């Protein structure tokens, strides 16, 4: 069996059913408003301040509510749902510690521009500011990591606020919006009038770019001899992957996709160079450093991409296309800034551009780099190498699974050795680098796509941060295939300590971790283990053939490092290539 989501009625049916002019409670208003926004699944954890909301949920079947085992699991699951589906993810938490347990997940979504609506309860309005039991100023705490936040003072405002929150979360540069609802507001009654029009003074994201800037870019492409495209997460979030493919087909400019941009351009295409930056390909990094035109489409020039800023792309004219004007020029000065939605920009740009013969020699050079310097590692017949495990996952799924990861070495190996051919198939915490993210995010992705194969790739460290969510996989028969790459150490920290801190291995030993197979079985999930290639092939196939959740532990070599690697303070062409060179 696969995960079950109740059949969702059409928006028209919902409006007819739920827009009746009735006097109802704030909690009922919340549920009706979520339905009218098209919500199919909510992730949450009840507590005293949201009991009226959960009382309204009693017997409620119009959307699915998934009870996680921790609020952090709930918000990461909502995040995974949003990234996989392109819809707004929703989670509910109670006041005080329940609300503060969502903070890491809010920051994760904020850094990666993921649309969430986070609903928290608060103490009754008359007690706000008195340090009442389980009171926390969650709107104040999260102000730097939300697009916007609301403290609802009057139940009459609730329909409007919910409608605005979804609009803000899912337009412009997407991100999390928090709605804090005091307990009395969720209990009070009023005549329900759904939110209709949106009138937000000062919030008008620029979607359509300046045509003159597009003309400048088209002219620059015709003159460029060494052009490069960096495609980021903005391509995925805007739904602009088809327009990007057309742009590349027209111009034949080599493409590198950032960590969050993986899947925005087909990995099998001859013009794809791989990922840039700290653990990027030799080809991508050399191409950026030698480019005379660098076209950034929906990426934010993160430090993991640029390396040493004053040595980044030193020969290039910089073009930066982004929905958020605050990103343009923030880290790297843009010679041609273009503010707008990526999909819209490319739709307008494509008729203006074509192939430049001046770049023929460049294309040949990039192709030769790809041939001479692919990602590679030294395989072993006696030890299980983590890169080989990722290749196994890729080969047995034809690169068609939705893959989520936690953070660390396994994340980089997955980014390097799994091949993504479509957007929203790769879900990882990029900007914040949140351990504990991968597994609950996979649950959210599986709820978005019950019939697709979802693989959660985790390290033995990160897996223990949200392992309790194994319970909801078992109870709800959510068929995520959970992979644990177990090297018995905090791998990326160990790698830095080896290469930068002169082998001073300080507090990284995870040898005391639980038996992951027994842990899975304790929760009612099938557990399997392999430490050699023959067993690995067998247990992974068994996992794929099992109709339900399975945890597979691959015991790998502790000393394996992620290469290439650019150390901090170096330019991205100063790469450590590892033992394979």
């Amino acid at each position: 069996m696969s995960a079950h989501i109740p059949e969702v009625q059409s928006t028209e049916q919902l409006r007819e059913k739920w827009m009746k002019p009735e006097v109802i409670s704030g909690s009922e208003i919340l549920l009706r408003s979520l339905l009218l926004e098209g919500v199919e699944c909510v992730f949450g954890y009840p507590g005293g301040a949201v009991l009226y909301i959960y009382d309204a949920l009693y017997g409620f079947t119009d959307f699915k509510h998934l009870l996680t085992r921790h609020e952090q699991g709930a918000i990461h699951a909502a995040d995974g749902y949003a990234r996989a589906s392109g819809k707004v993810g929703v989670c509910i938490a109670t006041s005080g510690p329940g609300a503060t347990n969502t903070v890491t997940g809010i920051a994760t979504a904020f850094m990666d521009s993921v649309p969430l609506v986070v609903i928290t309860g608060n103490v009754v309005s008359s007690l706000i500011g008195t340090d009442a039991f389980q009171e926390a100023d969650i709107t104040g705490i999260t102000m730097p990591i939300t697009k916007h936040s609301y403290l609802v003072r009057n139940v009459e405002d609730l329909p409007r606020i919910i409608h605005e929150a979804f609009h803000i979360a899912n337009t412009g540069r997407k991100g999390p919006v928090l709605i804090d609802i005091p307990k009395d507001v969720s209990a009070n009654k009023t005549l329900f009038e759904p939110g209709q029009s949106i009138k937000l003074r000062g919030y008008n994201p620029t979607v359509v770019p300046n045509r003159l800037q597009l003309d400048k870019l088209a002219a620059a492409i015709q003159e460029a001899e060494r052009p490069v495209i960096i495609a980021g997460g903005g391509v995925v979030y805007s739904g602009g992957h088809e327009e990007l493919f057309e742009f590349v087909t027209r111009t034949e400019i080599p493409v590198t996709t950032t960590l969050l941009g993986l899947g925005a351009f087909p990995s099998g295409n001859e013009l794809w160079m791989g990922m840039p930056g700290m653990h990027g390909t030799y080809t991508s990094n050399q191409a950026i450093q030698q480019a005379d035109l660098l076209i950034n489409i929906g990426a934010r020039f993160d430090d993991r991409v640029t390396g040493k800023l004053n040595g980044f792309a030193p020969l290039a004219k910089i073009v930066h296309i982004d929905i958020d004007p605050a990103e343009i020029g923030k880290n790297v000065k843009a010679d041609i800034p273009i503010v707008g939605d990526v999909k819209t920009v490319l739709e307008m740009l494509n008729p203006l551009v074509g192939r430049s013969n001046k770049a023929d020699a460049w294309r040949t050079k990039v192709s030769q780099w790809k041939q001479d310097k692919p990602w590679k590692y030294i395989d072993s017949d006696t030890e299980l190498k983590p890169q080989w495990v990722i290749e196994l996952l890729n080969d047995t799924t034809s690169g068609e699974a939705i893959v989520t990861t936690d953070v660390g070495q396994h994340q980089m190996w997955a980014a390097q050795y799994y091949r993504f051919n479509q957007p929203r198939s790769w879900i990882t915490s990029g900007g914040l680098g949140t351990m504990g993210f991968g597994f609950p995010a996979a649950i959210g992705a599986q709820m978005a796509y019950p019939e697709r194969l979802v693989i959660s790739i985790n390290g033995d460290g990160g897996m223990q941060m949200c392992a309790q969510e194994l319970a909801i996989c078992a109870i709800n028969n959510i068929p995520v295939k959970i992979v644990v790459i177990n090297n018995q150490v905090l791998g990326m920290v160990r790698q830095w300590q080896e290469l930068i801190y002169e082998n001073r291995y300080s507090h990284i030993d995870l040898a005391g971790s639980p038996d992951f197979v027994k842990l899975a079985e304790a929760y009612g999930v099938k557990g399997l283990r392999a430490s050699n290639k023959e067993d690995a092939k067998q247990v992974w196939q068994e996992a794929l053939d099992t109709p339900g959740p399975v945890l597979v532990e691959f015991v790998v070599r502790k000393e394996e490092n992620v290469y290439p690697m650019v150390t901090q303070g170096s330019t991205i062409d100063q790469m450590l290539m590892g033992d394979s060179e």
Side-chain angles (χ1 to χ4, degrees), residues 387 409 413 494-495 498-499 557 559-563:
Q387 303 94 323
Q409 287 181 313
W413 286 315
R494 188 210 61 77
Q495 177 169 334
E498 174 191 335
L499 299 176
R557 181 175 181 265
E559 295 79 16
E560 196 71 12
N561 287 334
V562 180
Y563 290 111

Side-chain angles (χ1 to χ4, degrees), residues 8 55 203 232 239 365 378 403 435 453 473 477 514 529 575:
V8 178
D55 188 54
Y203 180 72
K365 187 172 188 177
I378 299 174
V403 176
M435 291 181 69
L453 174 63
C473 283
N477 200 34
R529 179 184 293 113
M575 308 174 71

Side-chain angles (χ1 to χ4, degrees), residues 219-467:
I221 290 171
Q222 287 303 308
E223 294 301 316
E225 296 180 359
R226 300 183 306 281
V228 168
I229 295 168
I230 296 179
V235 178
V236 176
Y237 300 149
S238 72
H241 55 284
E242 292 180 353
E243 289 74 15
L244 174 65
F245 186 82
E246 181 183 347
F247 179 65
V248 175
T249 301
R250 286 173 176 268
T251 62
E252 295 187 20
I253 298 175
V255 186
T256 177
T257 46
T258 67
L259 181 68
L260 293 182
L262 292 173
F265 189 79
S267 61
N269 190 284
E270 62 181 7
L271 288 167
W272 185 67
M273 299 184 292
M275 186 174 66
M278 179 174 282
H279 295 294
T281 61
Y282 178 90
T283 303
S284 291
N285 287 356
Q286 290 294 337
I288 289 170
Q289 293 300 89
Q290 296 185 31
D292 64 354
L293 178 66
L294 183 62
I295 307 170
N296 179 332
I297 307 176
R300 57 186 182 86
F301 285 126
D302 176 78
D303 63 288
R304 288 299 197 261
V305 168
T306 64
K308 185 180 180 181
L309 266 176
N310 62 9
F312 175 73
L315 308 175
K317 175 183 286 188
I318 305 293
V319 181
H320 195 171
I321 302 170
D322 204 289
I323 188 71
D324 184 359
E327 285 297 339
I328 297 179
K330 186 178 79 173
N331 295 329
V332 175
K333 183 181 181 295
D335 298 292
I336 305 177
I338 300 176
V339 179
D341 172 70
V342 164
K343 181 181 176 72
T344 304
V345 171
L346 291 176
E347 284 175 342
M348 294 176 62
L349 183 62
N350 280 333
L352 308 177
V353 299
R355 184 184 188 277
S356 171
N357 294 329
K358 293 182 179 181
D360 285 346
W362 175 243
R363 296 182 189 98
T364 301
K365 187 172 188 177
V366 168
S367 179
Q368 191 63 49
W369 277 335
K370 284 181 63 177
Q371 183 178 328
D372 293 344
K373 299 282 188 176
W375 267 315
K376 58 184 177 179
Y377 63 97
I378 299 174
D379 202 0
S380 171
D381 292 327
T382 58
E383 295 180 296
L384 199 56
K385 288 295 189 83
Q387 303 94 323
W388 182 90
V389 173
I390 304 301
E391 290 180 325
L392 172 67
L393 305 186
N394 179 74
D395 294 344
T396 53
T397 61
S398 302
E400 293 300 318
I402 295 176
V403 176
T404 76
T405 76
D406 218 84
V407 171
Q409 287 181 313
H410 69 277
Q411 177 191 31
M412 293 298 106
W413 286 315
Q416 291 175 340
Y417 291 97
Y418 200 93
R419 293 289 177 258
F420 298 95
N421 295 313
Q422 54 185 313
R424 300 193 181 279
S425 295
W426 166 251
I427 297 171
T428 195
S429 172
L432 199 65
T434 304
M435 291 181 69
F437 170 83
F439 173 40
I443 294 171
Q446 190 76 82
M447 298 306 291
Y449 291 102
E451 304 305 323
R452 284 191 67 179
L453 174 63
V454 177
I455 303 172
S456 173
I457 303 176
N458 308 270
D460 48 321
M463 185 64 205
Q464 296 181 71
M465 293 194 174
C466 282

Side-chain angles (χ1 to χ4, degrees), residues 511-525:
S513 297
D515 182 320
F516 287 103
V517 172
K518 290 182 178 178
L519 180 66
E521 291 172 345
Y523 278 106
V525 172

